[in-house]
Amino acid sequence: MSFTVKVKEDILQSSKSSQSELSAIIKMSGNLGITSKGLTLAIASENAKIARHIYSIIETFAGLQPEIKYHYKTNLKKNRVYTVFLDDQVDQLLSDLKLADSFFGIETGIEACILANDESGRQYLRGAFLATGTIRDPETGKYQLEIFSVYQDHAEDLANLMRKFMLDAKVIQHKNGAITYLQKAEDIIDFLIIVGAMTSKEAFEEVKILRETRNDINRANNAETANIAKTIKASMKTINNIIKIKETVGIESLPIELQQVAQMRIENPDYSIQQMADQLPFEISKSGVNHRLRKLNKIAEDI
């Protein structure tokens, strides 16, 4: 099951539906037809639960009983497509939802009353996502939530509605319409809260935190590896210089404090300067060890 499907099914379980939600679903995924009896309305979905949900909303708010049909896609996967079909009082339903003009391209945006009311706005966003929304699985590490609109005006209104809830929504043109999208993980989490998909929100957040933790650990490991490499490089330079001293004037010719530091460095090439300071048989600071190592390097360079 894709993450998009999980989110949509989470939304279905979250709270009661409303006319604003139904308005979004019909506006964004409904298709009108006409017969000798009048208008027909068909709303398609590949998810049986969403189809039953749409049936239930229409029955609840309009007192109508649509029919649920299904057919198979003519592709290799042959997915089943469910259609909620209504051929009775469609004109009245559209009128009640103030959708008549939208189907004829007269009014393609979102109703002002929905934009002005926070609760209606939340419900509309629920319906919009159920209708045409997709969300990238957070496991991919790339965060993206998209809602497709046929009309640019609607996509812009949808973005403005999201911005009312402090979401950084953007709109991009698509070959068949426009897409309203969110790219920031925090915005997507907030969107899931707004539409009531709390289980999905927790799952998304958990994946995000785990990824960030892994990234932090990797960065720390990389930094530690770089520091170790730097330490070893500096250590090998000093060791080569100590060997040079040993083969020329001899280690025993050095002051005792330099002899001890030289011996410690040769025996422990991977030690940091602090580790050397901690292991030497006399009390010495990190800067003291570093000073003696520089002295050894200088002696070797002068030979």
Side-chain angles (χ1 to χ4, degrees):
M1 183 187 297
S2 71
F3 194 72
T4 294
V5 172
K6 290 178 182 178
V7 172
K8 290 185 177 183
E9 293 190 358
D10 193 11
I11 290 173
L12 296 182
Q13 298 174 6
S14 62
S15 63
K16 293 182 179 179
S17 304
S18 73
Q19 286 183 311
S20 296
E21 180 184 329
L22 179 59
S23 176
I25 291 172
I26 293 176
K27 187 162 193 170
M28 300 179 72
S29 59
N31 287 289
L32 283 184
I34 189 166
T35 67
S36 57
K37 296 181 180 180
L39 292 176
T40 63
L41 174 66
I43 308 167
S45 174
E46 291 185 20
N47 188 299
K49 292 181 180 179
I50 293 177
R52 287 196 296 270
H53 179 70
I54 295 169
Y55 177 99
S56 176
I57 304 177
I58 293 175
E59 185 179 43
T60 300
F61 290 103
L64 303 173
Q65 290 188 321
E67 179 184 359
I68 296 182
K69 305 177 180 181
Y70 72 86
H71 66 276
Y72 289 95
K73 273 188 173 181
T74 55
N75 58 19
L76 293 176
K77 293 183 179 180
K78 293 185 178 180
N79 293 339
R80 183 179 286 191
V81 178
Y82 300 89
T83 301
V84 181
F85 182 78
L86 183 67
D87 61 359
D88 181 33
Q89 300 182 50
V90 173
D91 53 346
Q92 185 60 50
L93 175 62
L94 297 180
S95 177
D96 291 344
L97 295 174
K98 300 180 181 179
L99 290 177
D101 289 344
S102 69
F103 276 97
F104 298 102
I106 299 172
E107 176 54 60
T108 57
I110 299 175
E111 285 292 320
C113 59
I114 292 175
L115 293 172
N117 183 281
D118 285 353
E119 185 54 35
S120 294
R122 287 190 184 90
Q123 294 296 331
Y124 195 91
L125 289 175
R126 279 169 52 97
F129 188 82
L130 287 173
T132 63
T134 60
I135 181 170
R136 192 189 292 264
D137 192 325
E139 289 283 3
T140 64
K142 295 181 180 179
Y143 307 122
Q144 183 100 346
L145 182 147
E146 299 180 351
I147 300 178
F148 173 78
S149 298
V150 173
Y151 297 106
Q152 181 79 19
D153 287 351
H154 185 271
E156 295 289 354
D157 278 355
L158 204 56
N160 288 331
L161 180 56
M162 290 184 185
R163 291 176 193 131
K164 277 190 61 180
F165 295 99
M166 307 302 291
L167 304 179
D168 186 19
K170 295 181 174 63
V171 176
I172 187 172
Q173 288 188 335
H174 188 271
K175 61 181 179 180
N176 296 319
I179 291 173
T180 306
Y181 67 94
L182 301 172
Q183 280 187 314
K184 297 176 183 176
E186 291 74 15
D187 285 335
I188 295 173
I189 289 170
D190 286 343
F191 180 90
L192 295 176
I193 293 172
I194 290 165
V195 298
M198 299 306 295
T199 301
S200 299
K201 172 258 181 187
E202 290 171 5
F204 187 100
E205 205 165 28
E206 182 178 348
V207 172
K208 175 179 176 290
I209 291 170
L210 285 174
R211 286 189 60 82
E212 289 176 350
T213 301
R214 284 198 295 265
N215 289 339
D216 288 343
I217 291 172
N218 288 337
R219 278 193 292 270
N221 287 340
N222 290 339
E224 184 178 352
T225 300
N227 288 336
I228 291 172
K230 184 178 178 182
T231 298
I232 292 175
K233 183 178 179 181
S235 172
M236 292 310 299
K237 177 185 176 182
T238 304
I239 288 172
N240 288 334
N241 283 334
I242 293 170
I243 292 172
K244 182 179 179 181
I245 293 170
K246 184 177 180 180
E247 292 176 347
T248 53
V249 299
I251 295 293
E252 64 279 359
S253 66
L254 300 174
I256 186 64
E257 66 271 15
L258 291 184
Q259 290 184 38
Q260 290 172 315
V261 171
Q263 192 64 33
M264 175 69 70
R265 174 47 80 204
I266 288 175
E267 292 175 357
N268 303 281
D270 59 333
Y271 270 17
S272 67
I273 294 175
Q274 184 61 60
Q275 286 174 311
M276 289 182 65
D278 294 339
Q279 295 299 320
L280 283 165
F282 53 89
E283 189 172 341
I284 186 171
S285 66
K286 179 179 175 181
S287 61
V289 173
N290 198 34
H291 177 68
R292 285 165 173 75
L293 290 173
R294 284 201 301 269
K295 272 191 174 183
L296 289 168
N297 288 328
K298 183 68 169 60
I299 291 170
E301 289 169 6
D302 291 342
I303 294 174

